[in-house]
Amino acid sequence: MNQTQRLPGHMPATEQNPLLEYWRSISKRKWKILVFAITVAAVATAIVFSIAPSYRSTTTILIESSRQKILSVEEVYSGVTANREYFQTQAEILQSRDLAIKTIKALKLWNYPEFDPRLVKASFWSSFLKTEETKEKASWTEDKLAAAIYPAFAKNVDVELVRLSQLAKISFTSTDKELAAAVPNKLSEMYIDSDRDARFAMAQGASKWLNDRLGGLREKLDKSEYALQQYRETNGIISLSKEGQNGNSNQVSDATQQLIAAKMKRAEAENAYRQVTAVKNGDYSSVPAVITNPQVADAKRQEAEAESKMADLIQRYGVDHPKMVQAEGELRAAKANAKRQVDAVVGSLRQSYEAAQGTERALEAVLNQARGAVSNLNRKEVQLGVLEREATANRQLYENFIARAKQTAASQDLQSAIARVIDAASTPSAPIKPKKSQIIIMAGLLGLLLASAASILLDRLNNTINNSDDVERLLGHPLLTSIPLLNKKQASDAGKLVLSEPRSIYAESIFTARTGVALSSIDATERTLLITSSMPNEGKTTFASNLALALSSTRRTLIIDADLRKPGLARKLGLNPASPGLSNLVAGNATLEECLQRVGDSQLFCIGTGDIPPSSLEILMSKRFSELLKQLSASYEMLVIDGPPLSLVSDPLILAPLCSDTLFVTRAQETPHPIARKNLARLTQAGGRVLGVTLSHLDFKKAERYYGQYGSISQYGKAYGAT
């Protein structure tokens, strides 16, 4: 009795296909979805056509990777390397604020309504309070206008570097097609002019610096040449290289040169010899004349290589290895060779010194008379050489600055541009935005998508039972029958509809329930059916009265109104509500014959509620009530008890264990399935046997259209006389 049994022939519900559920949800509201999509598209159309079209034009310029120098002035200009950083820098310059301000002023963009900041409408408060800001804006200047326009200008300018090339594209977007072409052309022109002006200013600054330096260099050159000439005149020095020299001058010059050469040679040899003789320990490594000798240097190099090789072999083989013995021999030989070379150089220095002394003494003997004069002339020529070298250096520096100053001055008039226009912007013929047809189509599709998603979401959020599959899938109990939604005419006589319209679809649904009840316990001779629901107005009483009428045609049937709180069965069946009923019968105030009422011409008998008691639970829980049910079961084959809703009162939990079966009624698209499932569980826990669930108030046409169910009834019902 505690386990739910399925009806004979009942198959478990199949798993729902999510895509099919989505399609049904969309189909259910297809006209609303279409209307919403059309509305969105219409709104988008109105908005799109109210937006001013925007035009875009592009100027292509070539940025030179290196400047063509008409004159070589490396000091003035540094070379430009063809790297990506350079081109990116130029792109940033093209988007700089200074260049934008110059372009705005050149085109006077404040004369265009699109950019005129003076056309901005005043706020509500500014019409009453004239603040300092509004006073300042009342007197616009070109600088203020350009600064106010710059943000909008920069937003519409786009500079793009063409990949793997030296080209840059300057684009501008505007609602004025003429302005869209004028801005990139003017911006590229201002960019080229700005670069030319910057380089001209740089050349002009370099030229000024060179001219300032030339003045000081000219003065320094004049002083050095004057000092040289004055020294010659003071000391009576004549230029020996000039023509007209006499024989004595030539003889003095030759003797003097030879003596000077001999003295210099002797001095060098003496210096080297003294350094050698100053060495006490035989280490000549501090004597330059020894160390710089090629043979000594080569011998030292060989000695160093031998030492390096030996150090390497020690780490690799150790001290006792044969190769180490060989390396030690090579090192000793290298050191001996170095010593021999040093000794040879020391000996040669001594010989050179002695030879130089002899040469010097011979020359002094020949030129003994002219020794003083020659010595004096030698000292004077040293000073003369210093002065001549200074004058020559000053002259060369001056001449270089003169040449560079002339080049810089010439380059001021011949400046090559860093960029040139390859393709000037032209007036666009068609706007780039808004793309009206694309936006309208996208808006319509978006409307369809949003409306479809909303429809699916509504169905997902809907927790009611919508069709017969939901009964088994959500409630876990078999479906006994589905009762169609009644029209107004049928609803007025719904309690006896199986009698008034026996060939209707409603009557067929009741007969289906009757068959299910009969087949559930074929051999049972006594059956007590409790009919209840979750909440009021779910069609419980109407279903109970019609099912009892259908059962009465084949079995002796009695229907009892056990809803002692809010009775309605007698009214549904057209009986007298004031007649004694169940409460009177249990209380012993009336006999069974007084409480029984026959329903029209049918074989159905009914016991109403009678007087409404103060406590229905006391009556239903009384022993007399259970005995009454046993007494009635002996007299009638079928007892149908119309119980109250389970969510409001606990009366059905008392009635369910006393009945052989319980039929649970739920209303389509009204009853939340969590409530119905909870109440079914309560009935089972209370000891009731749930025979099945009846789905009432179901719109068969909508169910067929949206869920693909009940098609056989609508298509073939008339063939069998069902209406």
Side-chain angles (χ1 to χ4, degrees):
M1 294 293 289
N2 293 337
Q3 294 182 349
T4 302
Q5 298 180 355
R6 294 188 178 274
L7 294 177
H10 176 75
M11 298 297 293
T14 58
E15 184 178 354
Q16 296 294 317
N17 187 346
L19 295 179
L20 181 60
E21 290 298 316
Y22 295 159
W23 173 249
R24 288 173 176 174
S25 177
I26 294 172
S27 299
K28 182 165 55 176
R29 303 178 180 90
K30 60 184 177 181
W31 295 115
K32 294 180 180 179
I33 293 173
L34 287 175
V35 169
F36 181 80
I38 293 172
T39 303
V40 172
V43 172
T45 302
I47 294 174
V48 164
F49 278 94
S50 65
I51 298 174
S54 297
Y55 298 88
R56 188 182 183 89
S57 190
T58 303
T59 296
T60 304
I61 64 173
L62 172 65
I63 301 177
E64 300 290 349
S65 60
S66 60
R67 296 188 174 99
Q68 302 294 330
K69 296 185 282 289
I70 299 176
L71 297 174
S72 179
V73 193
E74 288 83 2
E75 287 81 359
V76 181
Y77 308 114
S78 60
V80 181
T81 58
N83 51 34
R84 200 63 192 169
E85 289 77 8
Y86 168 72
F87 291 111
Q88 188 62 41
T89 301
Q90 299 305 314
E92 293 299 326
I93 292 174
L94 282 167
Q95 300 178 83
S96 64
R97 187 179 189 277
D98 180 67
L99 202 61
I101 293 296
K102 290 180 180 178
T103 305
I104 293 170
K105 290 183 178 179
L107 293 174
K108 298 185 181 298
L109 290 185
W110 51 81
N111 292 330
Y112 294 86
E114 180 183 359
F115 295 98
D116 192 353
R118 297 168 295 186
L119 297 180
V120 178
K121 294 182 179 180
S123 63
F124 175 79
W125 294 108
S126 62
S127 60
F128 295 96
L129 302 173
K130 194 168 183 66
T131 62
E132 294 296 329
E133 183 179 358
T134 53
K135 291 180 180 179
E136 181 181 356
K137 290 185 177 181
S139 57
W140 288 97
T141 63
E142 288 192 359
D143 292 337
K144 292 181 180 179
L145 288 170
I149 293 172
Y150 170 71
F153 178 87
K155 183 179 179 181
N156 292 330
V157 171
D158 181 38
V159 177
E160 177 187 2
L161 294 175
V162 180
R163 191 170 180 268
L164 301 179
S165 72
Q166 298 179 0
L167 299 178
K169 293 182 178 292
I170 307 172
S171 303
F172 188 77
T173 304
S174 174
T175 56
D176 189 330
K177 62 174 66 177
E178 301 293 338
L179 185 61
V183 169
N185 288 334
K186 179 58 70 174
L187 185 60
S188 60
E189 178 185 342
M190 298 302 295
Y191 168 67
I192 295 172
D193 292 345
S194 178
D195 177 75
R196 186 182 290 112
D197 292 343
R199 290 190 292 133
F200 178 79
M202 188 187 302
Q204 196 172 30
S207 177
K208 183 177 181 300
W209 179 80
L210 288 173
N211 289 329
D212 294 341
R213 286 287 294 156
L214 280 175
L217 291 174
R218 186 181 298 109
E219 182 179 353
K220 188 175 181 180
L221 176 60
D222 292 343
K223 288 182 179 181
S224 61
E225 289 184 342
Y226 177 75
L228 175 61
Q229 183 61 30
Q230 186 178 13
Y231 182 80
R232 284 174 176 169
E233 292 176 356
T234 302
N235 294 278
I237 299 175
I238 60 174
S239 177
L240 301 180
S241 63
K242 293 182 180 179
E243 297 182 357
Q245 292 178 347
N246 52 28
N248 293 333
S249 297
N250 291 335
Q251 184 179 5
V252 171
S253 176
D254 292 340
T256 302
Q257 293 299 325
Q258 291 177 9
L259 181 58
I260 292 173
K263 284 182 176 292
M264 292 180 64
K265 186 174 182 180
R266 190 265 309 160
E268 292 177 357
E270 182 181 5
N271 182 45
Y273 178 70
R274 289 184 182 279
Q275 291 179 355
V276 170
T277 56
V279 176
K280 301 299 183 181
N281 55 1
D283 184 10
Y284 298 100
S285 59
S286 61
V287 180
V290 176
I291 297 303
T292 57
N293 185 270
Q295 288 78 10
V296 175
D298 185 61
K300 290 293 184 181
R301 180 183 59 76
Q302 293 177 1
E303 181 183 351
E305 291 178 354
E307 290 178 350
S308 176
K309 181 178 180 181
M310 184 175 177
D312 184 38
L313 292 175
I314 287 175
Q315 295 186 6
R316 186 180 301 178
Y317 301 107
V319 179
D320 298 330
H321 197 273
K323 290 187 177 182
M324 275 297 303
V325 176
Q326 181 183 355
E328 289 177 355
E330 292 177 358
L331 178 59
R332 286 193 297 271
K335 288 183 177 181
N337 181 45
K339 188 175 184 307
R340 285 194 301 271
Q341 294 297 333
V342 170
D343 293 341
V345 171
V346 171
S348 65
L349 289 176
R350 185 182 295 108
Q351 293 174 2
S352 297
Y353 173 60
E354 291 174 355
Q357 280 184 331
T359 302
E360 184 179 359
R361 284 193 298 269
L363 286 175
E364 287 179 350
V366 174
L367 300 176
N368 190 36
Q369 295 179 354
R371 184 179 299 274
V374 171
S375 298
N376 186 36
L377 181 60
N378 185 47
R379 289 192 298 270
K380 292 179 180 179
E381 283 188 348
V382 172
Q383 182 64 25
L384 178 64
V386 173
L387 295 174
E388 285 181 343
R389 285 193 297 273
E390 183 179 1
T392 301
N394 290 336
R395 187 179 298 107
Q396 290 178 351
L397 182 60
Y398 178 73
E399 289 174 355
N400 288 338
F401 266 79
I402 282 287
R404 195 55 51 85
K406 290 181 179 179
Q407 292 175 358
T408 304
S411 65
Q412 295 181 22
D413 299 326
L414 298 172
Q415 295 286 343
S416 61
I418 192 175
R420 54 192 175 92
V421 177
I422 300 299
D423 186 11
S426 58
T427 303
S429 58
I432 62 165
K433 60 180 182 180
K435 299 183 182 299
K436 298 180 180 179
S437 58
Q438 182 177 351
I439 293 175
I440 294 171
I441 293 174
M442 292 299 294
L445 293 177
L446 181 62
L448 283 174
L449 181 62
L450 291 176
S452 300
S455 177
I456 295 173
L457 181 62
L458 287 175
D459 285 344
R460 283 291 184 181
L461 296 176
N462 184 10
N463 64 348
T464 60
I465 301 171
N466 299 312
N467 54 69
S468 60
D469 289 341
D470 288 349
V471 172
E472 299 186 0
R473 181 170 59 88
L474 299 175
L475 301 183
H477 287 271
L479 177 70
L480 182 64
T481 187
S482 297
I483 300 177
L485 182 67
L486 301 178
N487 55 38
K488 291 183 179 180
K489 180 180 178 182
Q490 293 173 327
S492 62
D493 191 25
K496 297 185 291 183
L497 201 59
V498 293
L499 297 179
S500 60
E501 296 184 13
R503 305 178 68 85
S504 65
I505 296 177
Y506 183 89
E508 290 295 330
S509 300
I510 297 297
F511 296 152
T512 300
R514 179 187 64 182
T515 303
V517 171
L519 293 177
S520 63
S521 297
I522 298 177
D523 297 332
T525 58
E526 298 178 2
R527 299 284 300 278
T528 304
L529 302 178
L530 171 64
I531 299 177
T532 184
S533 63
S534 295
M535 296 179 293
N537 301 321
E538 289 190 278
K540 167 183 62 63
T541 302
T542 302
F543 171 69
S545 62
N546 283 278
L547 178 61
L549 287 170
L551 290 171
S552 67
S553 64
T554 58
R555 296 186 181 186
R556 182 172 173 81
T557 305
L558 172 66
I559 185 170
I560 301 173
D561 190 355
D563 190 353
L564 301 178
R565 302 171 186 267
K566 190 177 180 181
L569 181 62
R571 181 177 53 83
K572 289 282 185 180
L573 294 174
L575 303 177
N576 183 15
S579 175
L582 179 62
S583 61
N584 305 104
L585 188 59
V586 173
N589 298 329
T591 62
L592 178 61
E593 289 74 13
E594 293 175 340
C595 296
L596 285 175
Q597 297 184 72
R598 186 168 183 170
V599 180
D601 298 333
S602 68
Q603 301 299 318
L604 178 65
F605 289 88
C606 174
I607 296 178
T609 58
D611 298 332
I612 297 178
S615 175
S616 61
L617 289 176
E618 292 182 1
I619 293 178
L620 298 179
M621 294 177 66
S622 65
K623 184 177 180 181
R624 189 176 182 85
F625 176 73
S626 60
E627 292 176 350
L628 176 64
L629 288 182
K630 293 179 181 179
Q631 179 185 352
L632 294 174
S633 297
S635 303
Y636 295 90
E637 297 178 82
M638 298 293 296
L639 290 182
V640 179
I641 299 176
D642 181 21
L646 185 55
S647 294
L648 301 181
V649 295
S650 59
D651 296 2
L653 299 179
I654 300 172
L655 294 172
L658 301 177
C659 301
S660 58
D661 298 290
T662 300
L663 304 183
F664 192 82
V665 179
T666 183
R667 183 166 181 167
Q669 297 183 346
E670 288 287 340
T671 305
H673 64 79
I675 296 177
R677 185 168 61 246
K678 179 180 179 181
N679 289 328
L680 285 168
R682 292 174 65 192
L683 286 172
T684 303
Q685 292 172 359
R689 176 179 178 269
V690 179
L691 180 63
V693 178
T694 298
L695 185 64
S696 66
H697 295 80
L698 180 64
D699 190 338
F700 277 23
K701 293 183 179 179
K702 184 182 291 186
E704 176 188 356
R705 186 165 63 250
Y706 297 154
Y707 306 107
Q709 298 178 340
Y710 314 106
S712 59
I713 295 178
S714 62
Q715 294 178 12
Y716 307 114
K718 292 183 179 180
Y720 292 91
T723 58

